[in-house]
Amino acid sequence: MAEGVARWTRRRVLRRTALLAGGAALGSAGTSQTTWIADRRLPLAGGPASATLGSRYQQVGGGGVEVVWAVRTADPLVALTFDDGPQPQWTPMVLDTLAEHRVPATFFLVGERARRHAALVYDRLGGHEVGNHSWAHHDLARMDARAAYDDLRRSHEAIAAATGVAPRLLRPPWGHLGGAVLHAAARLNYRLVLWTLQMVEGEYPHDPAGHARRIVADVRPGTILLGHDVGPGRRLVALRGLPDMITGLRARGYTFVTVSDLLRRAAVLGAAR
């Protein structure tokens, strides 16, 4: 009896193994089919990949959104930008350096930090520009369309209250884009601004002058340059070298402008040609 049970168990195991092997091939096709069906629903579902929201009329402001990495121009113009602030540790240092050298910049502010540290930026942004960098620096590309809009709207209102200026530019955290981000940006009439060149502090530990030389050498006309006024201590390499960066670029004939000014000048130059 025990032997018969053992034989039966082996037969059943072998049969199930064969069935599983055959099912694996069908399963892969079935999984692909299921994934395809799920993916087909994404554009209509209002999820992170979706640039639409439901089947009713789309409330999308002006009806479109522009994404900018750089501006094509022959004129030596560069836009200096700072992300993630404001914070008491570094933002005043950046503002002091910019004021000393009379350099305008664009600050992409985190809404929660702007509300908490409003005194750091209020009345100190004359000549500068503010943009929206989300409410709490969470990944907008992982949010559905409603959540992305609610996040950016909340941040928009906090930045406007803290600075007295309503932002018109958006830079999503880490530059992550998704359909929901595009949809929210369109609803808020934002321009999406990424960057051409980023500070590389990790390559120049304890060498602010070396880092400044690297950035000065890499800038091209129309560059949007990304820096941070918040973060790990290594980023101070860039901020301590900011005066050298400014003087080095000016020695190359560059003029510093805000992002919006860069876009305006490029549009005027393009129309004149």
Side-chain angles (χ1 to χ4, degrees):
M1 180 65 125
E3 185 180 348
V5 170
R7 284 198 300 271
W8 179 84
T9 302
R10 284 197 296 271
R11 284 198 300 271
R12 187 170 68 171
V13 168
L14 290 171
R15 186 186 308 148
R16 286 193 172 188
T17 301
L19 288 171
L20 287 172
L26 293 173
S28 63
T31 300
S32 298
Q33 180 74 3
T34 302
T35 301
W36 180 81
I37 291 170
D39 286 348
R40 288 277 295 170
R41 294 182 59 191
L42 282 175
L44 301 177
S50 176
T52 61
L53 184 60
S55 58
R56 295 185 180 274
Y57 185 84
Q58 297 290 308
Q59 301 291 344
V60 286
V65 61
E66 180 184 9
V67 183
V68 179
W69 287 264
V71 167
R72 181 174 294 182
T73 176
D75 292 335
L77 302 172
V78 57
L80 184 56
T81 69
F82 294 93
D83 286 8
D84 298 356
Q87 287 278 41
Q89 301 93 319
W90 299 354
T91 303
M93 177 199 315
V94 174
L95 288 169
D96 288 346
T97 300
L98 297 177
E100 179 183 351
H101 293 270
R102 298 183 181 180
V103 168
T106 301
F107 289 84
F108 288 93
L109 304 179
V110 172
E112 185 275 333
R113 293 171 183 167
R115 186 180 68 176
R116 186 153 37 105
H117 302 299
L120 292 179
V121 291
Y122 193 75
D123 285 340
R124 291 210 64 186
L125 292 174
H128 299 303
E129 179 176 40
V130 295
N132 193 338
H133 198 46
S134 81
W135 170 250
H137 209 277
H138 295 155
D139 193 348
L140 297 173
R142 293 179 179 272
M143 299 181 188
D144 64 30
R146 286 187 176 88
Y149 174 78
D150 289 344
D151 181 288
L152 290 172
R153 184 70 199 179
R154 186 181 186 190
S155 181
H156 179 99
E157 292 171 355
I159 292 167
T163 65
V165 180
R168 294 270 49 95
L169 306 176
L170 166 64
R171 176 175 286 163
W174 304 289
H176 289 183
L177 293 178
V181 179
L182 297 175
H183 191 272
R187 289 183 69 183
L188 290 162
N189 285 313
Y190 279 142
R191 271 177 158 171
L192 270 161
V193 177
L194 301 178
W195 58 89
T196 331
L197 182 63
Q198 181 174 352
M199 306 289 187
V200 286
E201 302 95 339
E203 296 181 18
Y204 292 86
H206 316 298
D207 187 7
H211 180 266
R213 286 193 298 271
R214 156 74 186 274
I215 297 301
V216 169
D218 284 351
V219 165
R220 301 290 182 270
T223 290
I224 298 174
L225 179 58
L226 168 63
H228 297 84
D229 56 334
V230 170
R234 61 179 172 77
R235 285 184 175 161
L236 286 170
V237 166
L239 301 188
R240 288 171 178 152
L242 191 55
D244 287 345
M245 206 179 301
I246 292 168
T247 56
L249 284 168
R250 280 181 168 158
R252 288 187 59 199
Y254 276 88
T255 297
F256 289 90
V257 293
T258 64
V259 168
S260 290
D261 196 22
L262 178 65
L263 296 172
R264 279 192 297 268
R265 293 194 190 202
V268 170
L269 290 169
R273 289 193 176 105

Short mmCIF file of all heavy atoms in Angstrom, two decimals, residues 17-59:
data_model
loop_
_atom_site.label_atom_id
_atom_site.label_comp_id
_atom_site.label_asym_id
_atom_site.label_seq_id
_atom_site.Cartn_x
_atom_site.Cartn_y
_atom_site.Cartn_z
N THR A 17 4.26 18.32 -13.10
CA THR A 17 5.43 18.98 -13.66
C THR A 17 5.24 19.25 -15.14
O THR A 17 5.56 20.34 -15.64
CB THR A 17 6.69 18.12 -13.44
OG1 THR A 17 6.86 17.90 -12.05
CG2 THR A 17 7.92 18.81 -14.00
N ALA A 18 4.69 18.24 -15.84
CA ALA A 18 4.45 18.42 -17.28
C ALA A 18 3.42 19.52 -17.52
O ALA A 18 3.57 20.35 -18.43
CB ALA A 18 3.97 17.10 -17.89
N LEU A 19 2.37 19.51 -16.72
CA LEU A 19 1.34 20.54 -16.87
C LEU A 19 1.90 21.93 -16.61
O LEU A 19 1.59 22.90 -17.30
CB LEU A 19 0.17 20.25 -15.92
CG LEU A 19 -0.72 19.05 -16.30
CD1 LEU A 19 -1.70 18.76 -15.17
CD2 LEU A 19 -1.47 19.35 -17.60
N LEU A 20 2.71 22.02 -15.58
CA LEU A 20 3.31 23.32 -15.25
C LEU A 20 4.24 23.80 -16.36
O LEU A 20 4.27 24.98 -16.71
CB LEU A 20 4.08 23.23 -13.93
CG LEU A 20 3.21 23.14 -12.66
CD1 LEU A 20 4.09 22.86 -11.45
CD2 LEU A 20 2.45 24.46 -12.46
N ALA A 21 5.01 22.85 -16.93
CA ALA A 21 5.92 23.22 -18.01
C ALA A 21 5.16 23.74 -19.21
O ALA A 21 5.52 24.74 -19.84
CB ALA A 21 6.79 22.02 -18.41
N GLY A 22 4.05 23.04 -19.54
CA GLY A 22 3.24 23.51 -20.65
C GLY A 22 2.56 24.82 -20.34
O GLY A 22 2.44 25.71 -21.19
N GLY A 23 2.14 24.95 -19.10
CA GLY A 23 1.45 26.18 -18.71
C GLY A 23 2.37 27.38 -18.67
O GLY A 23 1.92 28.51 -18.83
N ALA A 24 3.66 27.13 -18.45
CA ALA A 24 4.60 28.26 -18.38
C ALA A 24 4.64 29.01 -19.69
O ALA A 24 4.66 30.24 -19.73
CB ALA A 24 5.99 27.75 -18.01
N ALA A 25 4.66 28.22 -20.81
CA ALA A 25 4.68 28.86 -22.12
C ALA A 25 3.41 29.65 -22.36
O ALA A 25 3.42 30.79 -22.82
CB ALA A 25 4.86 27.80 -23.21
N LEU A 26 2.26 29.02 -22.00
CA LEU A 26 1.00 29.75 -22.15
C LEU A 26 0.93 30.92 -21.20
O LEU A 26 0.41 31.99 -21.53
CB LEU A 26 -0.17 28.78 -21.86
CG LEU A 26 -0.36 27.64 -22.88
CD1 LEU A 26 -1.44 26.68 -22.38
CD2 LEU A 26 -0.73 28.20 -24.25
N GLY A 27 1.50 30.71 -19.99
CA GLY A 27 1.45 31.77 -18.98
C GLY A 27 2.18 33.01 -19.40
O GLY A 27 1.75 34.13 -19.15
N SER A 28 3.35 32.83 -20.08
CA SER A 28 4.11 34.00 -20.52
C SER A 28 3.31 34.80 -21.53
O SER A 28 3.27 36.02 -21.51
CB SER A 28 5.45 33.58 -21.12
OG SER A 28 5.25 32.78 -22.27
N ALA A 29 2.61 34.04 -22.44
CA ALA A 29 1.76 34.74 -23.41
C ALA A 29 0.60 35.41 -22.70
O ALA A 29 0.21 36.53 -23.02
CB ALA A 29 1.26 33.74 -24.46
N GLY A 30 0.03 34.68 -21.70
CA GLY A 30 -1.08 35.26 -20.95
C GLY A 30 -0.67 36.49 -20.19
O GLY A 30 -1.41 37.49 -20.12
N THR A 31 0.54 36.44 -19.59
CA THR A 31 1.03 37.61 -18.85
C THR A 31 1.22 38.80 -19.77
O THR A 31 0.87 39.94 -19.46
CB THR A 31 2.35 37.27 -18.15
OG1 THR A 31 2.13 36.19 -17.25
CG2 THR A 31 2.88 38.47 -17.39
N SER A 32 1.80 38.52 -20.96
CA SER A 32 1.98 39.60 -21.94
C SER A 32 0.65 40.22 -22.33
O SER A 32 0.52 41.43 -22.46
CB SER A 32 2.71 39.07 -23.18
OG SER A 32 3.99 38.60 -22.84
N GLN A 33 -0.34 39.32 -22.53
CA GLN A 33 -1.67 39.80 -22.91
C GLN A 33 -2.26 40.66 -21.79
O GLN A 33 -2.82 41.74 -22.03
CB GLN A 33 -2.58 38.61 -23.20
CG GLN A 33 -4.02 38.98 -23.61
CD GLN A 33 -4.09 39.51 -25.03
OE1 GLN A 33 -3.07 39.56 -25.73
NE2 GLN A 33 -5.27 39.93 -25.45
N THR A 34 -2.12 40.19 -20.54
CA THR A 34 -2.65 40.94 -19.40
C THR A 34 -1.96 42.29 -19.28
O THR A 34 -2.60 43.32 -19.05
CB THR A 34 -2.45 40.14 -18.10
OG1 THR A 34 -3.11 38.89 -18.23
CG2 THR A 34 -3.03 40.89 -16.91
N THR A 35 -0.62 42.28 -19.42
CA THR A 35 0.13 43.53 -19.35
C THR A 35 -0.29 44.48 -20.45
O THR A 35 -0.46 45.68 -20.23
CB THR A 35 1.64 43.25 -19.46
OG1 THR A 35 2.03 42.37 -18.41
CG2 THR A 35 2.45 44.53 -19.36
N TRP A 36 -0.48 43.92 -21.67
CA TRP A 36 -0.88 44.76 -22.80
C TRP A 36 -2.24 45.40 -22.52
O TRP A 36 -2.44 46.59 -22.77
CB TRP A 36 -0.95 43.91 -24.06
CG TRP A 36 -1.35 44.68 -25.28
CD1 TRP A 36 -0.56 45.47 -26.06
CD2 TRP A 36 -2.67 44.74 -25.86
NE1 TRP A 36 -1.28 46.03 -27.09
CE2 TRP A 36 -2.58 45.60 -26.99
CE3 TRP A 36 -3.89 44.17 -25.54
CZ2 TRP A 36 -3.68 45.88 -27.79
CZ3 TRP A 36 -4.98 44.44 -26.34
CH2 TRP A 36 -4.88 45.29 -27.45
N ILE A 37 -3.17 44.60 -21.97
CA ILE A 37 -4.49 45.14 -21.66
C ILE A 37 -4.37 46.24 -20.60
O ILE A 37 -4.99 47.30 -20.70
CB ILE A 37 -5.43 44.02 -21.18
CG1 ILE A 37 -5.74 43.08 -22.34
CG2 ILE A 37 -6.72 44.60 -20.61
CD1 ILE A 37 -6.46 41.81 -21.94
N ALA A 38 -3.56 45.99 -19.57
CA ALA A 38 -3.38 46.99 -18.52
C ALA A 38 -2.75 48.26 -19.08
O ALA A 38 -3.16 49.38 -18.77
CB ALA A 38 -2.52 46.42 -17.39
N ASP A 39 -1.72 48.08 -19.93
CA ASP A 39 -1.06 49.25 -20.52
C ASP A 39 -2.02 50.03 -21.42
O ASP A 39 -1.95 51.25 -21.51
CB ASP A 39 0.16 48.81 -21.34
CG ASP A 39 1.32 48.40 -20.45
OD1 ASP A 39 1.24 48.66 -19.24
OD2 ASP A 39 2.28 47.81 -20.96
N ARG A 40 -2.90 49.31 -22.11
CA ARG A 40 -3.86 49.99 -22.98
C ARG A 40 -4.79 50.89 -22.18
O ARG A 40 -5.30 51.88 -22.69
CB ARG A 40 -4.70 48.94 -23.72
CG ARG A 40 -3.96 48.20 -24.80
CD ARG A 40 -3.93 48.97 -26.10
NE ARG A 40 -5.27 49.12 -26.66
CZ ARG A 40 -5.56 49.91 -27.68
NH1 ARG A 40 -4.62 50.63 -28.23
NH2 ARG A 40 -6.80 49.97 -28.13
N ARG A 41 -4.99 50.57 -20.93
CA ARG A 41 -5.89 51.36 -20.10
C ARG A 41 -5.22 52.59 -19.50
O ARG A 41 -5.90 53.53 -19.11
CB ARG A 41 -6.45 50.51 -18.96
CG ARG A 41 -7.37 49.37 -19.43
CD ARG A 41 -7.92 48.60 -18.25
NE ARG A 41 -8.69 49.48 -17.36
CZ ARG A 41 -9.11 49.12 -16.15
NH1 ARG A 41 -8.81 47.93 -15.67
NH2 ARG A 41 -9.80 49.95 -15.40
N LEU A 42 -3.88 52.58 -19.44
CA LEU A 42 -3.18 53.65 -18.74
C LEU A 42 -3.51 55.06 -19.25
O LEU A 42 -3.76 55.95 -18.45
CB LEU A 42 -1.67 53.42 -18.78
CG LEU A 42 -1.13 52.37 -17.81
CD1 LEU A 42 0.36 52.16 -18.05
CD2 LEU A 42 -1.38 52.78 -16.36
N PRO A 43 -3.53 55.31 -20.57
CA PRO A 43 -3.81 56.67 -21.02
C PRO A 43 -5.17 57.19 -20.61
O PRO A 43 -5.40 58.39 -20.60
CB PRO A 43 -3.69 56.56 -22.55
CG PRO A 43 -2.82 55.37 -22.77
CD PRO A 43 -3.18 54.43 -21.67
N LEU A 44 -6.11 56.29 -20.29
CA LEU A 44 -7.46 56.72 -19.94
C LEU A 44 -7.71 56.71 -18.44
O LEU A 44 -8.73 57.18 -17.98
CB LEU A 44 -8.48 55.79 -20.62
CG LEU A 44 -8.42 55.74 -22.15
CD1 LEU A 44 -9.43 54.74 -22.67
CD2 LEU A 44 -8.69 57.12 -22.73
N ALA A 45 -6.80 56.12 -17.69
CA ALA A 45 -7.06 55.88 -16.28
C ALA A 45 -6.63 57.01 -15.36
O ALA A 45 -6.88 56.96 -14.17
CB ALA A 45 -6.37 54.58 -15.85
N GLY A 46 -5.94 58.01 -15.88
CA GLY A 46 -5.49 59.10 -15.01
C GLY A 46 -4.33 58.72 -14.11
O GLY A 46 -4.06 59.40 -13.13
N GLY A 47 -3.62 57.63 -14.43
CA GLY A 47 -2.51 57.19 -13.61
C GLY A 47 -1.24 57.97 -13.92
O GLY A 47 -1.25 58.93 -14.69
N PRO A 48 -0.11 57.56 -13.32
CA PRO A 48 1.15 58.31 -13.52
C PRO A 48 1.57 58.46 -14.97
O PRO A 48 2.16 59.46 -15.35
CB PRO A 48 2.17 57.47 -12.73
CG PRO A 48 1.36 56.76 -11.70
CD PRO A 48 0.05 56.47 -12.36
N ALA A 49 1.28 57.45 -15.79
CA ALA A 49 1.69 57.52 -17.20
C ALA A 49 0.68 58.27 -18.06
O ALA A 49 0.95 58.54 -19.23
CB ALA A 49 1.87 56.11 -17.75
N SER A 50 -0.46 58.60 -17.48
CA SER A 50 -1.54 59.17 -18.27
C SER A 50 -1.46 60.68 -18.37
O SER A 50 -1.34 61.38 -17.37
CB SER A 50 -2.89 58.78 -17.65
OG SER A 50 -3.95 59.40 -18.35
N ALA A 51 -1.53 61.18 -19.58
CA ALA A 51 -1.57 62.63 -19.80
C ALA A 51 -2.99 63.11 -20.04
O ALA A 51 -3.21 64.21 -20.53
CB ALA A 51 -0.68 63.01 -20.98
N THR A 52 -3.96 62.26 -19.71
CA THR A 52 -5.36 62.65 -19.78
C THR A 52 -6.03 62.30 -18.46
O THR A 52 -5.52 61.49 -17.68
CB THR A 52 -6.10 61.93 -20.92
OG1 THR A 52 -6.06 60.51 -20.69
CG2 THR A 52 -5.46 62.25 -22.26
N LEU A 53 -7.20 62.88 -18.22
CA LEU A 53 -7.90 62.65 -16.97
C LEU A 53 -9.37 62.44 -17.28
O LEU A 53 -10.11 63.39 -17.53
CB LEU A 53 -7.72 63.84 -16.03
CG LEU A 53 -8.31 63.71 -14.63
CD1 LEU A 53 -7.69 62.53 -13.89
CD2 LEU A 53 -8.07 64.99 -13.82
N GLY A 54 -9.79 61.17 -17.29
CA GLY A 54 -11.18 60.87 -17.54
C GLY A 54 -11.60 61.12 -18.98
O GLY A 54 -10.78 61.35 -19.86
N SER A 55 -12.91 61.10 -19.21
CA SER A 55 -13.43 61.24 -20.56
C SER A 55 -14.14 62.58 -20.77
O SER A 55 -14.67 62.83 -21.85
CB SER A 55 -14.41 60.10 -20.86
OG SER A 55 -15.46 60.09 -19.91
N ARG A 56 -14.15 63.42 -19.76
CA ARG A 56 -14.79 64.72 -19.91
C ARG A 56 -13.81 65.74 -20.48
O ARG A 56 -12.64 65.45 -20.68
CB ARG A 56 -15.36 65.19 -18.57
CG ARG A 56 -16.48 64.28 -18.06
CD ARG A 56 -17.11 64.83 -16.79
NE ARG A 56 -18.17 63.95 -16.32
CZ ARG A 56 -19.44 64.02 -16.74
NH1 ARG A 56 -19.77 64.93 -17.65
NH2 ARG A 56 -20.34 63.20 -16.26
N TYR A 57 -14.29 66.96 -20.65
CA TYR A 57 -13.46 68.01 -21.22
C TYR A 57 -12.21 68.22 -20.38
O TYR A 57 -12.28 68.31 -19.15
CB TYR A 57 -14.25 69.32 -21.31
CG TYR A 57 -13.51 70.43 -22.00
CD1 TYR A 57 -13.51 70.53 -23.39
CD2 TYR A 57 -12.78 71.37 -21.28
CE1 TYR A 57 -12.82 71.53 -24.03
CE2 TYR A 57 -12.08 72.38 -21.92
CZ TYR A 57 -12.11 72.46 -23.30
OH TYR A 57 -11.42 73.45 -23.93
N GLN A 58 -11.04 68.29 -21.02
CA GLN A 58 -9.77 68.43 -20.32
C GLN A 58 -9.54 69.89 -19.93
O GLN A 58 -9.43 70.76 -20.79
CB GLN A 58 -8.62 67.96 -21.21
CG GLN A 58 -8.68 66.49 -21.59
CD GLN A 58 -8.40 65.58 -20.42
OE1 GLN A 58 -7.40 65.72 -19.73
NE2 GLN A 58 -9.30 64.64 -20.18
N GLN A 59 -9.46 70.15 -18.63
CA GLN A 59 -9.14 71.49 -18.13
C GLN A 59 -7.63 71.63 -18.08
O GLN A 59 -6.98 71.26 -17.10
CB GLN A 59 -9.77 71.70 -16.74
CG GLN A 59 -11.27 71.54 -16.70
CD GLN A 59 -12.00 72.66 -17.42
OE1 GLN A 59 -11.42 73.72 -17.71
NE2 GLN A 59 -13.27 72.45 -17.72
#
